Amino acid sequence: MTLRNVLVGALAVVSLAACGTTTPSGDSGKIQVVTSTNVWGSVIKAVGGDAVEVKALLDDPSADPHSYESKPADAALIKDAKLVVFNGGGYDDFFPKLITTEGQRKIEAFPLREHDQDENEHVWYDLHTVRAVAEAAANELGAIAPEKKTTFESNTADFTAKLAELEKKVDGVGKGRKALATEPIAHYLLDETGAQDVTPEAFSKAIEEESDVPAAALAETNQLVESKQINVLVDNTQTENQVTKGIVEKAKSANIPVVAVTETLPDGVTSYLDWMSKQVDALSQALKA
């Protein structure tokens, strides 16, 4: 989904509870890091461990990240950070606009993808890109605190090894199967399974742009579900609307597995690996059903 430039609503700037952090303080002795979402914050925390103190601007699992309205306090946090991390690719456009310190250390995830032909910006569902971000974090944190570089590298090795396990678990499990998605949030993960995404393009585009779904596209989507031409429905629960709710209800009525995905870490989840492992398991099981 492309980030809408009309940013509405507001989210409280709170500490990254999902990563077990507190509000960054200049005298904590830890490396201050600010991220756009708690997903990237959790990756940085996995690499930095106790040496980092992470602040995420977006960490509300019940809110639409695309409606975030930045505040002056956000700019102040970013200015004081030793490292800033954001998604890029049009997803969190508000964040780089807040970076005003020349030469500030930063990591932008989107350009780190291995392949550039696909413009889907939801790269935290691309395990290869997540690995690249972790490795970049180890380099940046190691430059900030050279005496801890070995620790950062060791943490990264452990993290990426577990990512590799997830990749093996999901690789090819959906070959010969068909999937429909309310939005292409988990696009890369679904692609890794080998399943065919049969979501009508006009439907996806309308949902992404928050516009009315063309009648023909909606009818085609409903037909795919009602006639059980799909094996799984992948639903972004964080930006649901009446149309997507209707699709989910039809899928459940047709006994089609529905796999819920989100854009930020859910309440009670403290680790990227724990979060992604549960989603990999859910998607794999649904495709095998």
Side-chain angles (χ1 to χ4, degrees):
M1 153 192 347
T2 301
L3 178 62
R4 287 72 170 173
N5 290 327
V6 180
L7 299 173
V8 295
L11 296 173
V13 178
V14 293
S15 56
L16 182 55
C19 289
T21 61
T22 57
T23 302
S25 57
D27 58 357
S28 69
K30 298 184 178 183
I31 301 171
Q32 307 302 305
V33 183
V34 176
T35 64
S36 61
T37 71
N38 63 2
V39 172
W40 292 121
S42 68
V43 174
I44 301 305
K45 186 65 177 175
V47 173
D50 293 337
V52 299
E53 203 158 11
V54 183
K55 178 78 173 183
L57 301 186
L58 299 174
D59 63 358
D60 186 347
S62 65
D64 182 353
H66 304 87
S67 65
Y68 184 76
E69 182 177 307
S70 62
K71 304 176 181 64
D74 296 343
L77 284 170
I78 289 175
K79 183 178 180 181
D80 293 337
K82 294 296 185 181
L83 173 66
V84 295
V85 184
F86 61 103
N87 191 82
Y91 181 76
D92 44 12
D93 278 346
F94 72 91
F95 195 93
K97 295 176 182 177
L98 300 176
I99 301 174
T100 58
T101 302
E102 185 175 352
Q104 185 169 30
R105 292 186 180 278
K106 64 183 179 181
I107 298 173
E108 182 178 3
F110 187 74
L112 297 180
R113 294 175 306 152
E114 292 183 355
H115 306 289
D116 61 6
Q117 69 269 24
D118 196 325
E119 294 305 313
N120 188 299
E121 71 271 22
H122 307 105
V123 291
W124 61 92
Y125 275 103
D126 178 8
L127 301 178
H128 304 284
T129 300
V130 173
R131 179 178 60 209
V133 170
E135 292 170 346
N139 289 334
E140 294 293 345
L141 294 173
I144 296 170
E147 73 281 4
K148 298 177 181 177
K149 182 176 177 61
T150 300
T151 298
F152 299 145
E153 291 175 345
S154 177
N155 290 344
T156 300
D158 290 341
F159 180 78
T160 55
K162 291 176 181 176
L163 282 179
E165 292 176 6
L166 290 180
E167 290 176 16
K168 290 180 181 179
K169 182 180 292 188
V170 76
D171 184 35
V173 297
K175 287 184 178 179
R177 313 291 273 177
K178 294 182 179 180
L180 187 146
T182 57
E183 291 184 81
I185 301 302
H187 165 78
Y188 293 109
L189 191 62
L190 188 60
D191 188 56
E192 189 88 5
T193 70
Q196 179 184 1
D197 186 348
V198 296
T199 310
E201 184 177 349
F203 178 89
S204 290
K205 182 178 180 181
I207 295 298
E208 283 190 272
E209 296 178 353
E210 296 184 340
S211 60
D212 292 336
V213 179
L218 182 57
E220 182 182 357
T221 303
N222 284 330
Q223 176 63 19
L224 286 169
V225 176
E226 293 170 347
S227 60
K228 298 184 179 183
Q229 295 181 50
I230 60 171
N231 301 103
V232 64
L233 172 65
V234 180
D235 178 42
N236 178 15
T237 61
Q238 208 156 340
T239 57
E240 65 181 7
N241 57 34
Q242 291 304 312
V243 172
T244 61
K245 283 182 180 179
I247 297 297
V248 169
E249 290 173 359
K250 291 179 185 298
K252 290 180 177 179
S253 296
N255 292 318
I256 295 172
V258 177
V259 175
V261 296
T262 57
E263 300 184 47
T264 54
L265 296 179
D267 283 331
V269 179
T270 60
S271 157
Y272 174 87
L273 289 170
D274 289 345
W275 176 56
M276 193 54 57
S277 179
K278 290 179 180 178
Q279 296 190 93
V280 164
D281 287 343
L283 185 57
S284 298
Q285 291 171 10
L287 287 168
K288 292 177 181 178

